[in-house]
Amino acid sequence: MVSFEEARTTILAHVQPLGVERVHVLEAVGRVLAEDMAAAWDMPRWDNAAMDGYAVRAEDCTSIPCCLRVTGFLPAGAKADGLTVEPGCAIRIMTGAPVPCGCDAIVPVEDTDNGAQEVTLLQPVKKGRHFRFQGEDVVAGMTYARSGTIIRAPDIHLLATFGMALVPVYRRPVVAIITTGDELVELGNVPGPGEIINSNTLSLAAAIKEAGGIPRIIGIARDNPESHRKLLTEGLKADVLITSAGVSAGDHDFVRDVLEELGTRQIFWKVAMKPGGPTTFAMHGSTPVFCLPGNPVSTLITFEEFARPALLRMQGYRMVHRPLFKTVLRNEIRKKPGKVQIARVCLKREEGRWYASLASKRESALDETMADAMAYAVLPADATCFKAGDEVDVHFHGNHIDLV
Ligand code: AMP
Ligand code: MG
């Protein structure tokens, strides 16, 4: 039996980022950049106007108001080739258009009478005003995004700006899912006496997707070694294998034995935690294998605490654990010492503090509280009693971004 913390560290010591693939820039959102990105060109690419207005020579405009002859027009997208602002003249210019020769200031249209043939400037003019200079933001060759960046909208902007249609990111792991048990029937069937619907396959597939992985449903291993052999052999071809149920010490718990027979090296069996005690972690070559308990609550909690960080690390994420934050407990919780307890809680913010209420009194019962609970409280192994008003650490277990 390993401690909860030891189990998490051990798992991460066994996984590393997968290979790199190039994907369309929009497919790269939420993925991790696998190379430093150097700017292919200066940004801005040319000296240009920061305002709609007139390109002028500051020395012509020392006394205000001042009247200049308008000799040209430069909309955005135009080329400035051959256009020069002559003494006593101005060229009408739009934001982003290249500044013509001879000028050293842009006068915003708001500071003029907006004249077409002739323009009168109403405000004093400062040299260099409303110019955006070539390379002012980024100089060609400069690193504008570092390997390890989790790609978000602003990064997409930069990648697109520098012409990166295909972006190098870490691959998403293909995760095989095998559930075990003679009692399971697939969704779509009406369960007969003693049968239950194989919900774990689907909840695991959903959790894998949420963690950026690609679920590959292998099927149900029936409670005999042959069936396990067939499905586990198939499952071990993926980047990661996750099984549910059949890892306790029951008569029909074949998962660990058959995995060993197939050349898998068990790293640990049993974690000092509740729920999720029988969790097993193994390696088959470089393929991590997570054998999670079958109780649907235990399956999802152990996925969250053990498999999710590994899937994120394989995709190049550095921070793979959800941040913990302090909340005030609303209920009393008693627990036995020696095991970390993960309690499902609902959170509420009142007067600037977060409060956590237990979502379920039963530790691994499947009920609607699993879906209601938006966070997990992580109760340390050595603690035995928490009173209402005590502080406990929690982390969100879903994408409740609106609440953070
Ligand atoms: P086991 O580890 O095989 O003893 O399973 C523990 C509990 O989880 C049993 O009550 C099972 O019925 C339930 N269970 C196991 N596999 C699944 C599954 N794929 N979907 C839903 N519940 C399951
Ligand atoms: Mg079973």
Side-chain angles (χ1 to χ4, degrees), residues 55 62 79 108 112 121 132 168 185 192 195 233 260 271 281 320 390:
T62 43
K79 292 199 182 87
T112 73
L121 312 190
R132 289 195 292 222
V185 294
E195 292 180 339
T233 303
E260 195 185 335
V271 183
F281 177 64
V320 294
D390 281 356

Side-chain angles (χ1 to χ4, degrees), residues 179-180 183-184 196-201 244-246 248 253 294-296:
T179 46
T180 71
E183 75 275 33
L184 303 179
I196 56 168
I197 293 182
N198 178 15
S199 61
N200 281 354
T201 282
S244 113
S248 310
D253 293 342
N295 178 297

Side-chain angles (χ1 to χ4, degrees), residues 56-66 68 89 104-105 107 121 123-126:
V56 302
R57 302 155 63 102
E59 66 192 44
D60 292 347
C61 322
T62 43
S63 63
I64 292 299
C66 118
L68 302 169
C89 300
D104 55 11
V107 179
L121 312 190
Q123 301 292 334
V125 175
K126 265 204 224 124

Side-chain angles (χ1 to χ4, degrees), residues 354 396 399-404:
W354 283 102
F396 287 109
N399 296 323
H400 300 281
I401 290 162
D402 51 329
L403 290 165
V404 217

Side-chain angles (χ1 to χ4, degrees), residues 327-347:
T327 61
V328 181
L329 194 62
R330 281 236 154 101
N331 318 77
E332 184 178 286
I333 305 177
R334 287 181 184 280
K335 66 182 270 297
K336 291 202 184 93
K339 290 184 179 184
V340 163
Q341 188 170 323
I342 309 286
R344 288 161 284 156
V345 293
C346 295
L347 298 182

Side-chain angles (χ1 to χ4, degrees), residues 124-142:
V125 175
K126 265 204 224 124
K127 218 171 165 172
R129 279 295 280 161
H130 306 303
F131 257 57
R132 289 195 292 222
F133 294 100
Q134 178 171 349
E136 182 179 284
D137 294 336
V138 181
V139 177
M142 201 178 112

